[in-house]
């Protein structure tokens, strides 16, 4: 029996250990339940993102009577703290210790890369509901690994294209220094250069620091005509407030992670921020209307992009499970059904590329009065660059 003290001695955090309370419970497989291992941040700057994803996974399951494909669902939740050094240990515990049937995780690209490495070796059907690390659906792509969110470069390019269309010519970028920031900036720079835009400087800040004053001073002296930013969660809110307080008067842009989930708290400080994202709350389609109403009723707040990604992870899994009557031992058929899935998501039409990354629309939004408003379609049915999945 692996107990709490044993895990702590192996460097697993107290928060994560308490999530492993179910080690002492009888095996769900024996009782017919479907055990879904959840690796998400429930603490730290990305905690609200993990929470939004979890809420949708539970909402979807509850709206299907607590079952998927006829099987009672149990979630085993682990807090990954967005800490890459802990990811291998925690993923192994979910797969080998908890013997999860399915793995869903996570938010942070660095954690996800370590998680996916293990998931590929094991073969457990795995869904990534946020982390955008390009490599997951490029070189690491695998038969059993799916993503219901985006690839970092994919969204960076879509945002850069929109900034060119808006007439911008000289940019400064600011981002957290790890895979997500580097790739979102990389994708942006390709699109911006293709449109004859010039990047004056890339400013990076260690994750998850929120000390932005020297970056703001540099922007003031460089005088770009726009600023492109990747921050998310608690860090994004702090950046929005600091940027407004600096009164630079330079248009602020970024992938919509900058504003999703923090728009209400940003208040007037967020007015005028333009973002590009694969979701916006006022999309006029029946799936979105039903989803927004159900989420609002259950949690008393509107859903954000992270909630949509969690909802679609549950939907995708449901499609896969139905194809095998809930028998997760039939991994090949389950994976094939998820790879072929095509459905209407709250974000619009949803399908996967051969590398299992969404092919999707991107929308231009503007934040005003604490709400992201839909300005129009930025790009339709965009896939990430891929050479196709060469299965391991
Ligand atoms: C990531 O690490 O891939 C990541 C984190 C937060 C976001 C988007 C991407 O909002």
């Amino acid at each position: 029996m692996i107990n709490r003290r044993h895990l702590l001695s192996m460097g697993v955090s107290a928060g994560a250990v308490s999530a492993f309370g179910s080690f002492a419970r009888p095996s769900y497989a024996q009782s017919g339940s479907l055990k879904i291992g959840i690796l998400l941040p429930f603490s730290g700057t990305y905690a609200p993102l993990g929470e939004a994803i979890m809420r949708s996974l539970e909402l979807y399951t509850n709206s299907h009577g607590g079952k998927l494909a006829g099987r009672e669902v149990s979630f085993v939740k682990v807090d990954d703290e967005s800490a890459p050094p802990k990811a291998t240990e925690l993923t192994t515990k979910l797969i080998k210790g908890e013997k999860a049937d399915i793995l869903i995780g996570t938010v942070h690209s660095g954690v996800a890369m370590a998680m996916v490495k293990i998931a590929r070796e094991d073969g457990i059907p795995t869904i990534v509901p946020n982390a955008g690390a390009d490599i997951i659906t490029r070189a690491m792509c695998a038969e059993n690994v799916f993503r219901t969110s985006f690839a970092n470069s994919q969204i960076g390019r879509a945002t850069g294209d929109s900034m060119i269309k808006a007439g911008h010519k000289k940019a400064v970028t600011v981002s957290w220094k790890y895979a997500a920031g580097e790739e979102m900036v990389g994708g942006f720079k390709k699109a911006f250069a293709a449109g004859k835009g010039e990047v004056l400087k890339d400013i990076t800040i260690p994750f998850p620091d929120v000390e932005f004053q020297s970056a703001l001073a540099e922007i003031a002296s460089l005088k770009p005509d726009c600023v492109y930013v990747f921050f998310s969660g608690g860090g994004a809110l702090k950046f929005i407030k600091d940027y407004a307080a600096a009164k630079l008067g330079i248009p602020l842009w970024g992938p919509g992670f900058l504003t999703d989930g923090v728009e209400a708290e940003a208040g007037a400080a967020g007015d005028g921020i333009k973002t590009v994202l694969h979701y916006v709350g006022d999309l006029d389609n029946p799936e979105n209307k039903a989803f927004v109403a159900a989420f609002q009723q259950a949690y008393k707040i509107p859903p954000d992009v992270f909630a949509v990604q969690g909802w679609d992870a549950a939907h995708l899994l449901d499609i896969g499970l139905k194809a095998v009557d809930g028998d997760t031992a039939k991994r090949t058929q389950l994976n094939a059904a998820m790879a072929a899935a095509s459905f209407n998501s709250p974000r619009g039409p949803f399908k996967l590329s051969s590398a299992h990354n969404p092919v999707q629309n991107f929308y231009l939004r503007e934040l005003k009065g604490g709400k992201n408003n839909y300005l129009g379609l930025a790009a339709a049915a965009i896939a990430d660059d891929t050479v196709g999945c060469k299965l391991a």
Side-chain angles (χ1 to χ4, degrees):
M1 175 68 69
I2 301 175
N3 64 26
R4 189 171 187 276
R5 243 193 33 235
H6 183 78
L7 281 171
L8 285 171
S9 72
M10 294 188 301
V12 178
S13 75
V17 173
S18 64
F20 276 114
S22 59
F23 269 128
R25 283 194 244 137
S27 153
Y28 287 103
Q30 283 164 23
S31 64
S33 301
L34 176 78
K35 194 187 267 197
I36 304 182
I38 300 287
L39 189 70
L40 285 173
F42 294 112
S43 59
T45 200
Y46 286 162
L49 289 64
E51 188 64 30
I53 292 166
M54 195 65 233
R55 283 176 157 181
S56 280
L57 293 172
E58 287 173 339
L59 184 62
Y60 187 98
T61 309
N62 292 341
S63 70
H64 290 73
K67 293 184 178 176
L68 293 181
R71 286 183 71 183
E72 208 76 44
V73 171
S74 72
F75 294 107
V76 184
K77 303 177 196 173
V78 170
D79 178 9
D80 67 33
E81 303 170 46
S82 296
K86 298 186 178 168
T88 301
E89 182 74 41
L90 296 177
T91 307
T92 304
K93 293 292 172 249
L94 280 173
I95 297 177
K96 304 279 186 226
E98 284 287 333
K99 303 206 180 335
D101 300 301
I102 303 288
L103 181 62
I104 298 184
T106 184
V107 166
H108 183 287
S109 277
V111 176
M113 286 189 272
M115 181 198 80
V116 166
K117 185 167 180 294
I118 297 168
R120 288 174 102 234
E121 284 161 12
D122 180 84
I124 184 172
T126 299
I127 302 177
V128 179
N130 184 71
D134 290 346
I135 195 171
I136 289 174
T137 51
R138 293 189 186 178
M140 284 180 94
C141 124
E143 199 178 345
N144 63 311
V145 178
F146 300 84
R147 180 149 58 193
T148 58
S149 50
F150 56 90
N152 292 324
S153 293
Q154 182 188 24
I155 191 154
R157 289 183 91 145
T159 311
D161 281 339
S162 288
M163 292 169 69
I164 288 291
K165 280 187 202 139
H168 291 303
K169 296 267 181 277
K170 284 187 195 308
V172 168
T173 74
V174 195
S175 64
W176 270 321
K177 189 170 173 52
Y178 78 99
E182 283 154 14
E183 293 171 353
M184 281 187 220
V185 168
F188 158 75
K189 286 171 85 167
K190 270 196 183 161
F192 206 60
K196 308 247 178 304
E198 187 192 349
V199 174
L200 304 179
K201 177 139 196 188
D202 297 317
I203 301 172
T204 59
I205 289 169
F207 176 84
D209 289 2
V210 292
E211 180 42 70
F212 302 124
Q213 290 314 318
S214 73
L216 294 170
E218 242 185 313
I219 294 168
S221 77
L222 288 164
K223 298 190 179 33
D225 66 39
C226 61
V227 175
Y228 170 91
V229 166
F230 166 68
F231 293 107
S232 188
L237 182 60
K238 169 85 165 35
F239 186 87
I240 290 171
K241 289 188 165 165
D242 287 1
Y243 194 86
K247 295 195 191 319
L248 299 172
I250 302 169
L252 181 58
W253 285 74
F257 312 118
L258 181 62
T259 57
D260 262 48
V262 301
E263 55 273 69
E265 277 177 273
D271 280 355
I273 299 177
K274 289 212 173 110
T275 56
V276 171
L277 199 64
H278 44 290
Y279 182 67
V280 53
D282 37 68
L283 281 181
D284 189 11
N285 68 61
E287 292 73 28
N288 189 42
K289 292 226 157 88
F291 173 64
V292 170
F295 195 95
Q296 178 77 41
Q297 200 198 355
Y299 302 116
K300 314 297 171 218
I301 52 164
D304 56 21
V305 70
F306 310 107
V308 173
Q309 294 166 175
W311 180 263
D312 289 342
H315 192 168
L316 182 67
L317 177 61
D318 197 14
I319 289 171
L321 289 170
K322 280 190 180 125
V324 293
D325 276 334
D327 183 356
T328 49
K330 294 184 177 155
R331 285 178 168 177
T332 306
Q333 296 99 306
L334 195 162
N335 291 335
M338 292 204 285
S342 159
F343 56 87
N344 290 322
S345 154
R347 76 183 80 177
F350 182 99
K351 64 175 180 165
L352 295 169
S353 69
S354 59
H356 301 171
N357 189 65
V359 178
Q360 58 194 341
N361 295 339
F362 285 94
Y363 307 103
L364 180 60
R365 309 117 42 95
E366 181 172 11
L367 187 55
K368 257 221 165 88
K371 182 179 174 296
N372 279 304
N373 296 296
Y374 174 59
L375 295 188
L377 187 64
I382 296 294
D384 183 37
D385 284 346
T386 181
V387 287
C389 187
K390 292 194 182 63
L391 298 176

